[in-house]
Amino acid sequence: MSSIIQLLPDHVANQIAAGEVVQRPASVVKELLENSVDAGATEIKLIIKDAGKTLVQVIDNGKGMSVTDSRLCFERHATSKIRHAEDLFSLGTKGFRGEALASIAAIAHVEMKTKQEQDELGTHLIIEGSKFVSQDVAVVPKGTSFSIKNLFFNIPARRNFLKSDTVEFRHIVDEFERVAMAHANIHFVLIHNGSEMFNLPASNTRQRIVNIFGGRTNEKLVPVNETTEIVSINGFVCKPEFAKKNRGEQFFFVNDRFIKSGYLHHAVMAAYEGLLKDGTQPGYFLYLDVPPNSIDINIHPTKTEIKFDDEHALYAILRSSIKHSLGQFNVAPVLDFERDNTLDTPYDYEGKDVSMPTIQVDSTFNPFADDAPVKSSSSSSSFGSSRSSSSSSYSSPSFRKADKMPAWESLYNGLDTASDEITEVNFESEEVTGSLFNDEEVEQAVYKTYQIHKKYIVSPIKSGMVIIDQKRAHQRILYEQFLANITVQHGSSQQLLFPLTLHFNKSELAIISEMKEALQNTGFVFAEFNTDHIVVSGLPVNVAESEVSILLEELLNDLQQEVPDSSFSQSDSIAKSMARSLAVKTGVQLSDKEQETMVNSLFACKEPGVSPFNKPTFITISVEDLDKRFAL
């Protein structure tokens, strides 16, 4: 039998490796930004076109590469980060496998320009699908510039799996924010389709977080600082009143590397026990420094999962340090019956010099002045004889008898002698005897609806009964209303007496600006669009003022996570998200009129049988089915 095992060609092996390393344009952004950080760059510029599908360009002022290195860096397992297997447990760099550039070059058109500081000329290299097209000498500045064009040009199936531009750009922004927060000492710039989205100058960690997530973030942050032999924890957690329903602003960094850890997240949630509302998530930006030999990074291709030597100790330290910070800044209440709250020194006054209190004295005050009233001390036996004398000799302004006020009858003087008397009153003589409908056309409602467990509505029909899920039914009703308002007609709006000011970060504002027209068609009226907030002056009729922030937050989360899928239009996504947020919830008591309106509105829809998320809205039970149930 002939041999059937053979070595794969390099370009095929690179494409297979690219499936693990490069999943979407955001993966390219992550690898190139981390390479620039490892190169010692102080300024990094990221340029994106069409959410990375057309162009991903990273320009840095790092140490650059020589002519030999510029060619060798695109080979598989070629790296400058490690030399031996033992180096995996003493990593001080972002990358170490040497797979990223080879994988990127296998599925895209790559153009690289690089130059070291001591060289007069640099290198210009062009690669297409792992094939070297040209390598020339060029005049370029110090550092390296990577241009990744036409991603997945030779794997069209992978390109078809990419989501919409909004979703892909959101993933790019996520990777950019993670690298930028891990390295606040580097100047980062992000440009998308010619417009500058972020310009983050070198600063400290708190300023970097505020620059990314907006100025209002500063008042949310509570600092966390704890140093032990196992781990050193620094960073910030958000106050409980700013908790959100989604898990957006939650970041763990271990040795300046972003990671995801459900175990550490549980430690944070345990520290907030009793402080959060149900279903809300706190924000946190926590930086953990651990010895490199106590962690293992080489687990997942994206390097976002890390194994710790002593996870239990790390859990306890993290939970206790966050609890301490929340209590230190009077965010969490402290239960101590022997503690006097009046003796607490405010945190802002700690370390301030104590000054001598000043005393002000009124030198003109005389408690024995003559005009002070003095009560008479006559005895009861001589009360009658001395009453006249004491009253005549004592006169005080505060005991003077008030002027006699007119009697209450005087308020009505002259009313009986009014000259203008009403002699005749004319009423509308014609009586309204007709009705809107003729009596024979008015039919009395024979069937009555009932609500069961504040969840289902039961309505009898001729063949049996219909059981309706009130939440799904209302979602279908609202979905078709919003979709009609967005695509066909403009929804009515109610103006607010006091406009609402809502704060968002730059990426969220970019998404809101894209769907501004669709939101206006549903009834929203935007008075202002600024760099960090919007002003809402009008709302759709069925949206309460208290629900606006929650509605927009859930809408942004759905669009960022592509719920529903990208095959649907943005108008459809907005209608579905708003219908889900505003639909009546399970457990709400409905009146008879509300039940009847919901039943009639549901069966007036185009597709009453399913909700916008393809779940059944009602079931029908016939009389025959009931008879079978009771049959012996």
Side-chain angles (χ1 to χ4, degrees):
M1 185 176 179
S2 60
S3 301
I4 59 175
I5 297 177
Q6 59 183 352
L7 289 175
L8 291 175
D10 288 340
H11 68 279
V12 178
N14 288 339
Q15 288 186 7
I16 295 173
E20 295 182 351
V21 178
V22 183
Q23 300 174 357
R24 56 193 345 146
S27 305
V28 178
V29 171
K30 174 181 180 295
E31 299 294 343
L32 295 181
L33 288 179
E34 290 182 348
N35 283 345
S36 296
V37 172
D38 289 339
T42 59
E43 293 183 5
I44 301 175
K45 180 182 290 186
L46 173 62
I47 301 174
I48 302 294
K49 286 186 180 179
D50 299 331
K53 299 175 183 177
T54 303
L55 173 67
V56 174
Q57 185 176 7
V58 174
I59 305 172
D60 66 62
N61 62 347
K63 57 187 177 183
M65 288 182 282
S66 63
V67 178
T68 305
D69 289 344
S70 64
R71 185 71 177 258
L72 191 60
C73 69
F74 289 100
E75 299 296 331
R76 290 193 68 195
H77 308 300
T79 179
S80 62
K81 314 298 173 62
I82 61 174
R83 291 288 183 269
H84 308 284
E86 292 78 11
D87 296 339
L88 290 174
F89 298 99
S90 59
L91 288 173
T93 57
K94 301 292 184 183
F96 51 87
R97 293 198 184 106
E99 292 179 333
L101 292 181
S103 300
I104 294 171
I107 55 174
H109 296 166
V110 179
E111 182 180 358
M112 184 186 71
K113 298 177 182 178
T114 182
K115 186 179 82 73
Q116 292 181 325
E117 188 174 7
Q118 67 273 12
D119 296 336
E120 294 183 359
L121 296 175
T123 305
H124 182 199
L125 201 68
I126 297 178
I127 302 176
E128 295 180 359
S130 296
K131 297 179 181 179
F132 285 87
V133 177
S134 65
Q135 180 176 352
D136 301 318
V137 177
V139 178
V140 293
K142 173 207 169 187
T144 306
S145 171
F146 277 97
S147 297
I148 313 300
K149 304 174 183 177
N150 304 324
L151 195 64
F152 299 122
F153 79 99
N154 53 357
I155 312 178
R158 289 292 302 272
R159 191 176 183 88
N160 293 334
F161 278 109
L162 294 179
K163 304 290 186 179
S164 63
D165 287 357
T166 303
V167 176
E168 294 298 338
F169 182 65
R170 178 58 196 171
H171 285 286
I172 290 174
V173 171
D174 287 342
E175 297 293 347
F176 177 82
E177 290 175 350
R178 292 165 183 172
V179 178
M181 281 191 291
H183 302 277
N185 58 335
I186 301 177
H187 183 192
F188 285 92
V189 177
L190 171 58
I191 298 175
H192 183 225
N193 290 338
S195 61
E196 185 178 272
M197 298 294 299
F198 289 97
N199 191 342
L200 309 174
S203 59
N204 57 34
T205 303
R206 188 177 193 124
Q207 291 173 340
R208 176 57 56 89
I209 294 173
V210 171
N211 290 335
I212 293 176
F213 294 98
R216 286 290 297 269
T217 310
N218 191 33
E219 62 183 85
K220 305 178 186 179
L221 302 179
V222 176
V224 178
N225 292 288
E226 191 71 35
T227 302
T228 64
E229 296 180 355
I230 300 176
V231 61
S232 176
I233 301 175
N234 295 285
F236 304 90
V237 294
C238 293
K239 297 177 182 178
E241 58 264 27
F242 296 103
K244 297 182 178 181
K245 288 191 174 182
N246 59 355
R247 298 177 60 172
E249 300 176 357
Q250 297 180 348
F251 298 91
F252 281 116
F253 298 94
V254 175
N255 295 353
D256 291 335
R257 183 191 301 274
F258 172 79
I259 68 160
K260 296 178 181 178
S261 174
Y263 190 69
L264 297 182
H265 173 74
H266 190 275
V268 177
M269 296 299 294
Y272 277 91
E273 185 178 3
L275 300 176
L276 299 174
K277 296 180 181 179
D278 292 337
T280 58
Q281 297 279 340
Y284 51 81
F285 311 88
L286 296 173
Y287 298 79
L288 284 68
D289 289 329
V290 298
N293 57 0
S294 65
I295 58 175
D296 186 5
I297 303 172
N298 192 21
I299 295 175
H300 195 272
T302 59
K303 309 182 190 74
T304 55
E305 297 180 10
I306 290 181
K307 288 293 184 182
F308 298 92
D309 281 352
D310 194 352
E311 286 187 336
H312 297 289
L314 194 63
Y315 181 100
I317 295 171
L318 182 62
R319 182 183 61 179
S320 60
S321 61
I322 295 175
K323 274 202 170 210
H324 175 71
S325 295
L326 293 175
Q328 182 182 9
F329 289 86
N330 294 328
V331 176
V334 179
L335 186 61
D336 189 355
F337 296 103
E338 298 180 356
R339 179 168 158 269
D340 190 355
N341 293 330
T342 60
L343 300 179
D344 289 345
T345 302
Y347 190 81
D348 295 339
Y349 287 86
E350 187 175 356
K352 288 188 176 181
D353 296 333
V354 179
S355 59
M356 186 65 66
T358 58
I359 301 175
Q360 295 181 354
V361 179
D362 186 4
S363 59
T364 62
F365 176 72
N366 186 4
F368 303 103
D370 296 336
D371 56 351
V374 180
K375 294 183 179 180
S376 175
S377 58
S378 302
S379 61
S380 58
S381 59
S382 59
F383 176 78
S385 60
S386 61
R387 181 178 180 182
S388 58
S389 60
S390 63
S391 61
S392 61
S393 61
Y394 176 77
S395 61
S396 174
S398 59
F399 283 85
R400 290 177 182 174
K401 190 174 182 180
D403 297 334
K404 186 176 181 181
M405 299 295 295
W408 62 271
E409 291 88 347
S410 62
L411 297 174
Y412 300 93
N413 289 340
L415 290 181
D416 53 348
T417 60
S419 58
D420 298 334
E421 294 184 359
I422 300 175
T423 58
E424 184 179 359
V425 178
N426 294 327
F427 296 97
E428 187 177 355
S429 59
E430 183 180 357
E431 296 182 0
V432 180
T433 57
S435 62
L436 188 61
F437 304 99
N438 294 328
D439 293 338
E440 56 269 25
E441 294 180 356
V442 178
E443 296 181 359
Q444 297 293 331
V446 179
Y447 300 125
K448 180 177 175 61
T449 58
Y450 301 92
Q451 189 180 22
I452 300 176
H453 296 299
K454 299 180 181 180
K455 183 176 182 180
Y456 300 107
I457 299 175
V458 179
S459 177
I461 56 177
K462 291 183 179 180
S463 61
M465 62 179 177
V466 175
I467 302 176
I468 301 172
D469 188 311
Q470 65 183 31
K471 179 180 178 181
R472 295 179 182 177
H474 201 204
Q475 287 178 351
R476 164 56 62 178
I477 297 168
L478 292 177
Y479 166 70
E480 294 198 1
Q481 289 178 359
F482 287 131
L483 195 60
N485 291 338
I486 295 173
T487 58
V488 180
Q489 59 187 0
H490 294 283
S492 56
S493 176
Q494 54 181 348
Q495 297 299 312
L496 297 176
L497 183 61
F498 301 102
L500 291 175
T501 302
L502 304 175
H503 292 264
F504 299 98
N505 57 42
K506 293 182 179 179
S507 59
E508 292 173 340
L509 284 174
I511 298 176
I512 294 177
S513 63
E514 289 181 4
M515 59 182 182
K516 179 181 178 182
E517 183 178 355
L519 291 175
Q520 287 175 339
N521 291 338
T522 61
F524 280 94
V525 179
F526 298 100
E528 294 181 19
F529 253 89
N530 293 318
T531 56
D532 61 344
H533 70 276
I534 61 174
V535 179
V536 181
S537 60
L539 302 175
V541 175
N542 50 358
V543 177
E545 186 175 346
S546 59
E547 298 175 342
V548 179
S549 60
I550 300 175
L551 172 64
L552 292 178
E553 180 181 328
E554 293 181 353
L555 179 59
L556 286 171
N557 186 49
D558 288 346
L559 291 176
Q560 291 169 0
Q561 302 299 327
E562 193 68 351
V563 180
D565 203 0
S566 59
S567 58
F568 295 90
S569 64
Q570 189 183 66
S571 301
D572 188 82
S573 302
I574 294 173
K576 285 185 177 181
S577 181
M578 293 181 65
R580 182 175 58 188
S581 300
L582 298 175
V584 62
K585 302 297 187 291
T586 300
V588 176
Q589 183 71 39
L590 300 178
S591 63
D592 295 341
K593 186 66 176 176
E594 291 172 339
Q595 296 174 29
E596 182 181 355
T597 303
M598 183 172 293
V599 173
N600 295 334
S601 300
L602 175 64
F603 290 101
C605 293
K606 295 180 179 179
E607 296 183 11
V610 293
S611 71
F613 307 98
N614 294 323
K615 300 290 182 65
T617 58
F618 67 89
I619 59 173
T620 303
I621 300 179
S622 63
V623 178
E624 289 78 7
D625 293 337
L626 293 175
D627 292 339
K628 291 179 181 178
R629 295 274 185 174
F630 287 99
L632 297 177

